[in-house]
Amino acid sequence: MWARASTAPLFIPARDAIVAALEKGPMTVPDLAQATGKGTSTVKCALHRHLLTNRTVIRTKFGTYALAGTQPPYVSRAEAILAALKNGPMAFQALAREINNPASSLPQFLEPLLEKHKVIRTARGIYALAGTAPVYVPTSDAIISALTKKAMKLGLLVHRVNKLTKTARSQSTIRTVLSRLKEEGKVKQDRPLGEYRLARSVRAR
């Protein structure tokens, strides 16, 4: 007796179904789910565990996928920043122009890279790849760091600040920052030409 042939549709693995769908062109996850008949979670799993990892599939822009070699790959803003800084330190505005990104939204991509120590500030408004240049230390931070150890007069303080920052910051620059710190109540000077010291509230932190 002959067995009846199964009428159930042939099972196609999600990976194969996605590749077949992408032969028609780039698609988003919802597009792929509809084209393959697979759930969105299944599509995402196949993309991230297999097809993106083995580079069969690439991102062409955020949330859109294509077969490798058929479209230019998507480059995130973070990747674009790192690539641009491989050429050397760049000013904020120049970096925004280099990656074709509005200056107003650049901080949202720069700040995570700074927090992860992949990018550093080398001067006010100047950025570089970590390890390629000394890290920028604001003058106010260097003054407070120096005065944390002991009170000192202006001449010695200038020497300590320049040693900490590994730069040559002028006496007038440091005097200007000291004036601001005094106004903010962070630094005190008991008498003209006397020693500078941290305010008690700053020492207690």
Side-chain angles (χ1 to χ4, degrees):
M1 184 174 179
W2 294 98
R4 181 179 296 178
S6 174
T7 58
L10 181 67
F11 173 76
I12 301 175
R15 284 173 280 177
D16 296 340
I18 290 170
V19 170
L22 290 177
E23 287 177 353
K24 299 174 183 177
M27 292 188 182
T28 63
V29 168
D31 292 337
L32 285 168
Q34 184 175 7
T36 62
K38 308 291 183 181
T40 55
S41 60
T42 301
V43 170
K44 288 180 181 178
C45 181
L47 284 169
H48 292 281
R49 286 192 179 181
H50 306 288
L51 298 174
L52 289 170
T53 303
N54 63 25
R55 299 182 182 178
T56 301
V57 170
I58 59 168
R59 290 184 181 89
T60 60
K61 58 183 179 180
F62 188 76
T64 303
Y65 302 86
L67 293 179
T70 63
Q71 297 283 328
Y74 168 71
V75 179
S76 70
R77 288 290 182 262
E79 291 170 334
I81 289 170
L82 295 175
L85 292 177
K86 284 181 180 179
N87 297 322
M90 298 185 73
F92 182 87
Q93 294 292 344
L95 184 56
R97 289 194 299 271
E98 180 69 19
I99 70 168
N100 195 29
N101 191 86
S104 59
S105 63
L106 186 59
Q108 68 180 290
F109 306 112
L110 260 177
E111 291 303 323
L113 294 173
L114 290 165
E115 291 173 3
K116 293 175 182 176
H117 306 293
K118 292 185 177 181
V119 170
I120 59 171
R121 290 184 180 89
T122 61
R124 189 180 296 277
I126 306 295
Y127 300 86
L129 292 180
T132 62
V135 177
Y136 171 68
V137 180
T139 303
S140 57
D141 291 354
I143 288 172
I144 289 173
S145 178
L147 293 179
T148 298
K149 297 178 180 178
K150 67 174 185 177
M152 60 187 77
K153 291 186 177 181
L154 182 61
L156 180 57
L157 184 55
V158 170
H159 174 74
R160 291 291 175 84
V161 166
N162 287 337
K163 186 175 181 180
L164 280 169
T165 61
K166 298 180 181 178
T167 58
R169 301 185 189 183
S170 68
Q171 190 173 103
S172 61
T173 295
I174 293 173
R175 188 183 286 114
T176 299
V177 177
L178 278 168
S179 296
R180 175 169 59 81
L181 292 173
K182 287 167 68 177
E183 291 175 2
E184 294 172 354
K186 295 178 180 178
V187 170
K188 290 187 175 183
Q189 187 181 30
D190 294 329
R191 58 186 176 81
L193 304 179
E195 292 182 330
Y196 292 92
R197 59 185 175 83
L198 290 183
R200 184 174 300 174
S201 59
V202 177
R203 292 199 305 269
R205 289 177 187 173

